[in-house]
Amino acid sequence: MPRNSIRVTLPKENESHLCRMEPAAKERGTTENGGSSSTRAQRSSCSSLKMFLVALSFAYFAKALSGSYMKSTITQLERRFDIPSYLTGVIDGSFEIGNLLVIAFVSYFGAKLHRPKIIAMGCVLMAMGTFIIALPHFLIGRYKFETSIRSSVNSTNNLSPCPARLLSPAALASGDPLSKAPGTGTVGCEGESNLSMWIYVFLGNVLRGIGETPVQPLGISYIDDFAREENAAFYIGCVQTIAVIGPVFGYLLGSLCAKIYVDIGFVNMESITISPGDARWVGAWWLGYLIAGVITLLSAIPFWFLPRSLPIPSDRGPAQCTPEQISFINDSPLLEHKYQADEPASFLEMAKDFIPTLKTLLGNPVYFIYLCVTIIQLNSLIGMVTYKPKYIEQHYGQSASKANFLMGTINIPAVALGIFTGGLLMKRLKLSIMGAAKFAFGTSLIGYFLSLFFFAMSCENAKVAGITLPYNRVDGVSYEERSVFSACNSDCVCSDRDWDPVCGENGITYVSPCLAGCQTSTGSGKNTVFSNCSCVVVAGLSSGNLTASVGHCPHRDDCDRVFPYFLALSVITSFIISLGGTPGYMVLIRCIKPQLKSLALGFHTLSTRTLAGIPAPIYFGAIIDTTCLKWGQKRCGGRGACRIYNTTAYRIAYLGLTMGLRTVSFLLCILGFVLLKRHLRREERSAHQVANGGAELEVLRKEEVLASNSDQSLRTSTTDYNNTERETRL
């Protein structure tokens, strides 16, 4: 058969198969001729890939540190700017808004451009946004909290916290400024009322989100493109492990800054009458953002020196193929998931291909159902993680500093170890796509059942007179606007809007010394003692001379016993759930075509951030706000941050919403397994057809070789005959 006819009739599948089946001798010959240059190129590629891994890990660390630090300052921002939880949820979700603005275009166009330099520019933007978040501290005035202790530190006799009644009860109920404790006038109020400094935090977080956009999709796709097949999952697992170590330092930084008073260096600390465990305490939240911004800026440096692309590994690349065959291999979903970036095209050409490419991506049923499952699960995860430090503070009576410290030293390391172990197990066990999906589902389901035990680890409400405990000591939450008033404090001019708690000798907390009916006070600062408190009673009888001290009463003994079990269960569940992180992520990568990898990762991140990262903190915060029992008041009027919650309602709302979302996701997983099985069966049939075509191609190649040899022999014989005849004539 003529050679040209064979070439014309061969299908492209057979050509690509032929390309991969080149004889080993040809490869050895190529190596012998240019072995030294090939070895140098491979070494250079390996070192560049290692450098990229280190740089990407550091960038992941930096963005994770600043992101976790943001979550560690949730309560600090609430108190500093006097805003409710849902508004801090809006601030936290603004990071995802920044991603929403650009991530689809960065993922699509960035894959066709210089990925390392785009990541570097993103890190610079992240650093700028982090610095902007800290800006309000240098623009706003000094922090002023509600307190009835206004004497100098050297004074031993203070004014009476229970001034004589001069105003009517109607004036008190209306919240007239004159009814408030002395010294809480409206000086400077008009200037502050027009400033919403939290807007700067919002905008800075948006810019930080824009800068973070290219790091994940372009970084992960870069590794998967240029790493060997057996190493890709391990490398990605390592990067994600480093990304989880970042929050360890983020929460530790948050713990350190929460111990430092917000205006440290500008006020006399001996005059501060509140401690870090007080609901009015605000730590140096701004300091951590300056540190995180510097670290993020440093992470951008290495990416400027990395190449646009690396040589594809020899065991994965079509080294012996023609350009036409290489083009087909890059387009084939059945071959290895290595995709060499295209040559830069015009912006108009890339824009025309965007919508059709996106339709192709969303038309993949496995990808679509995976997207829905992760959106629901991330709603649960993001809402839970965002308010977990706050939950520890409010439910178990821990300070913000201790809650952040525990998150950083106990919970986050368990997640990091789980992600690393999951990637290692996938490499060692060589899990298939279905095996990885089953592994991720199983670990998530085990963690789900273990999490149900959190409902049993409950604490009673703190005993606060007039809020969780009426003055007659009848148990039950019964707070109303006027419930803090009683006959025992009827002779005092008190405001029901102040929050200046004191602890009575009877172990009950009172909203303020005035509402405790205290007549006199001695000492100064944190050592102030209030005496002759008419509302402080023991065994139902007023002794008339009982005292109260500054601050909340110590927390409940039952919480001290339950809290260690809560921490232990939290560590175990975090580790088990995170085991499926890397296998689940590899399912996403392997169920799509290689040329759609960057877009798929980017659109996945876009969707999860839009439908989970933005709304979850907001509606979690709004639901938590419904459990508030006592709201603080802004200096200029209006509702401020919550001072105390109904812990029982808080636990049910917080845990119930978390577990409910995860239940819905498990139902969708069942449908996902059915679609994944069908997808794999189709790929197996297609691969079988390619294999059969390759066998037929091998037969044709042998026939072609035989025909070529026959032609060569015939030409040789003819030449010999002609030469012989010529010699005879001569």
Side-chain angles (χ1 to χ4, degrees):
M1 183 180 291
R3 189 174 206 173
N4 292 338
S5 63
I6 294 177
R7 181 63 60 188
V8 171
T9 57
L10 284 178
K12 286 188 175 181
E13 291 86 347
N14 294 340
E15 289 191 48
S16 63
H17 185 73
L18 172 62
C19 170
R20 296 196 305 277
M21 296 179 61
E22 291 292 333
K26 186 175 180 180
E27 295 180 2
R28 287 195 300 269
T30 303
T31 304
E32 291 174 359
N33 293 333
S36 59
S37 60
S38 175
T39 302
R40 286 195 299 269
Q42 290 178 358
R43 289 177 180 175
S44 176
S45 173
C46 182
S47 61
S48 297
L49 181 60
K50 289 180 179 179
M51 183 178 177
F52 183 84
L53 282 172
V54 173
L56 186 65
S57 298
F58 188 41
Y60 262 68
F61 172 83
K63 76 182 185 68
L65 184 145
S66 57
S68 59
Y69 184 77
M70 162 64 73
K71 295 187 182 299
S72 74
T73 58
I74 287 293
T75 54
Q76 311 295 310
L77 296 175
E78 284 184 18
R79 298 167 185 173
R80 185 63 185 96
F81 300 112
D82 271 326
I83 54 179
S85 293
Y86 84 89
L87 209 49
T88 56
V90 173
I91 294 175
D92 186 69
S94 63
F95 176 84
E96 323 301 341
I97 294 176
N99 273 262
L100 171 63
L101 296 176
V102 297
I103 192 169
F105 299 98
V106 168
S107 301
Y108 181 72
F109 297 118
K112 302 175 182 295
L113 303 174
H114 198 301
R115 285 179 281 187
K117 288 187 178 180
I118 294 177
I119 295 175
M121 290 186 287
C123 291
V124 172
L125 289 178
M126 275 196 293
M128 293 175 58
T130 307
F131 290 137
I132 292 175
I133 293 175
L135 185 62
H137 172 75
F138 303 98
L139 301 178
I140 200 172
R142 302 287 169 245
Y143 176 58
K144 298 175 183 177
F145 54 88
E146 306 159 279
T147 180
S148 58
I149 305 172
R150 295 178 176 81
S151 61
S152 63
V153 175
N154 297 326
S155 176
T156 57
N157 294 310
N158 300 341
L159 297 174
S160 171
C162 179
R165 177 172 292 281
L166 299 175
L167 299 174
S168 65
L172 291 172
S174 65
D176 192 299
L178 295 176
S179 68
K180 296 181 180 180
T184 59
T186 59
V187 178
C189 178
E190 183 177 352
E192 290 188 8
S193 63
N194 295 326
L195 296 176
S196 297
M197 288 296 174
W198 64 268
I199 294 294
Y200 289 92
V201 182
F202 177 89
L203 295 177
N205 213 28
V206 169
L207 184 60
R208 196 172 67 85
I210 293 174
E212 191 268 351
T213 302
V215 177
Q216 179 178 355
L218 300 187
I220 296 297
S221 64
Y222 193 92
I223 291 175
D224 197 61
D225 282 345
F226 304 120
R228 295 181 183 275
E229 172 70 18
E230 64 273 13
N231 294 331
F234 180 71
Y235 289 159
I236 293 174
C238 290
V239 171
Q240 291 184 337
T241 300
I242 299 298
V244 180
I245 293 177
V248 174
F249 291 88
Y251 279 107
L252 289 179
L253 182 62
S255 175
L256 176 63
C257 294
K259 291 182 180 178
I260 305 172
Y261 187 66
V262 59
D263 293 322
I264 185 72
F266 297 94
V267 297
N268 182 4
M269 292 303 299
E270 295 183 356
S271 65
I272 304 301
T273 59
I274 56 177
S275 63
D278 195 286
R280 297 163 293 172
W281 175 271
V282 176
W285 59 273
W286 52 274
L287 181 60
Y289 287 111
L290 296 181
I291 297 173
V294 172
I295 295 175
T296 306
L297 192 61
L298 293 176
S299 70
I301 297 176
F303 291 103
W304 297 108
F305 305 98
L306 287 166
R308 179 178 180 270
S309 62
L310 300 174
I312 295 179
S314 58
D315 63 335
R316 301 301 303 273
Q320 308 298 330
C321 297
T322 65
E324 181 183 2
Q325 293 165 345
I326 292 175
S327 176
F328 170 73
I329 289 175
N330 286 338
D331 293 337
S332 175
L334 302 175
L335 303 180
E336 316 296 347
H337 282 241
K338 295 294 176 187
Y339 175 61
Q340 185 80 346
D342 296 335
E343 291 299 321
S346 66
F347 182 84
L348 183 60
E349 291 177 355
M350 292 188 292
K352 289 180 179 178
D353 292 338
F354 178 70
I355 298 299
T357 306
L358 185 60
K359 288 182 178 180
T360 302
L361 178 64
L362 295 180
N364 186 332
V366 177
Y367 177 80
F368 184 77
I369 200 69
Y370 181 93
L371 192 65
C372 294
V373 170
T374 51
I375 286 174
I376 297 174
Q377 287 191 342
L378 283 177
N379 268 273
S380 173
L381 178 64
I382 292 173
M384 183 270 292
V385 172
T386 301
Y387 294 101
K388 190 168 187 177
K390 184 182 178 73
Y391 178 77
I392 294 174
E393 290 179 51
Q394 298 296 329
H395 195 76
Y396 295 102
Q398 307 297 324
S399 66
S401 176
K402 187 174 182 180
N404 291 329
F405 178 80
L406 293 173
M407 285 286 292
T409 58
I410 297 179
N411 206 302
I412 302 300
V415 175
L417 181 62
I419 291 178
F420 178 79
T421 305
L424 189 61
L425 287 175
M426 187 172 182
K427 176 180 173 64
R428 292 287 178 86
L429 300 177
K430 298 181 180 179
L431 296 176
S432 62
I433 297 179
M434 181 58 70
K438 291 180 179 179
F439 183 83
F441 177 78
T443 55
S444 182
L445 192 62
I446 294 173
Y448 171 82
F449 287 118
L450 289 177
S451 298
L452 294 175
F453 289 99
F454 284 125
F455 285 97
M457 298 178 180
S458 59
C459 290
E460 297 179 355
N461 284 296
K463 296 180 179 179
V464 182
I467 296 182
T468 63
L469 190 70
Y471 283 89
N472 58 9
R473 295 183 62 86
V474 177
D475 290 337
V477 180
S478 61
Y479 177 68
E480 296 177 1
E481 187 175 355
R482 300 289 300 169
S483 63
V484 293
F485 295 106
S486 179
C488 61
N489 55 34
S490 59
D491 294 334
C492 303
V493 179
C494 305
S495 172
D496 61 342
R497 300 189 178 185
D498 284 341
W499 179 257
D500 188 18
V502 293
C503 179
E505 283 188 80
N506 56 356
I508 297 176
T509 301
Y510 296 85
V511 175
S512 68
C514 181
L515 291 172
C518 301
Q519 303 296 323
T520 60
S521 63
T522 57
S524 60
K526 297 178 182 179
N527 298 320
T528 302
V529 177
F530 302 95
S531 306
N532 300 323
C533 302
S534 58
C535 293
V536 180
V537 296
V538 176
L541 300 174
S542 176
S543 61
N545 59 359
L546 295 181
T547 62
S549 57
V550 175
H552 286 272
C553 290
H555 218 263
R556 293 84 70 196
D557 292 337
D558 60 329
C559 276
D560 294 336
R561 291 191 299 268
V562 171
F563 188 56
Y565 296 102
F566 169 82
L567 293 178
L569 183 61
S570 180
V571 169
I572 294 173
T573 55
S574 298
F575 173 77
I576 293 176
I577 293 174
S578 60
L579 280 174
T582 301
Y585 206 74
M586 295 309 296
V587 172
L588 168 64
I589 294 176
R590 299 304 181 210
C591 72
I592 54 178
K593 294 181 179 180
Q595 66 268 28
L596 298 178
K597 194 183 318 176
S598 292
L599 179 61
L601 293 173
F603 190 79
H604 174 265
T605 306
L606 166 69
S607 302
T608 53
R609 293 186 185 282
T610 304
L611 302 178
I614 295 176
I618 298 175
Y619 67 75
F620 264 81
I623 292 176
I624 290 173
D625 284 339
T626 62
T627 66
C628 182
L629 295 174
K630 179 70 171 68
W631 290 95
Q633 296 295 316
K634 296 182 180 179
R635 295 181 63 229
C636 305
R639 193 173 75 174
C642 184
R643 301 306 188 190
I644 185 173
Y645 291 87
N646 181 343
T647 56
T648 301
Y650 193 134
R651 182 181 73 256
I652 294 174
Y654 174 74
L655 296 178
L657 187 56
T658 300
M659 302 303 291
L661 289 170
R662 291 174 63 184
T663 302
V664 175
S665 70
F666 288 140
L667 297 177
L668 286 177
C669 283
I670 299 175
L671 177 61
F673 278 114
V674 175
L675 294 175
L676 183 58
K677 286 182 179 179
R678 293 179 180 176
H679 176 76
L680 294 177
R681 287 173 183 171
R682 286 195 301 268
E683 283 200 345
E684 288 178 0
R685 287 195 297 267
S686 300
H688 183 67
Q689 292 174 358
V690 170
N692 291 337
E696 295 175 0
L697 175 62
E698 193 66 23
V699 174
L700 293 174
R701 288 182 67 248
K702 290 180 180 179
E703 294 178 357
E704 181 183 6
V705 170
L706 292 174
S708 177
N709 292 337
S710 299
D711 293 343
Q712 183 68 25
S713 300
L714 180 61
R715 286 194 298 269
T716 302
S717 301
T718 303
T719 302
D720 292 342
Y721 173 78
N722 292 334
N723 291 336
T724 302
E725 185 176 358
R726 181 182 180 185
E727 290 175 358
T728 301
R729 287 197 301 268
L730 290 174

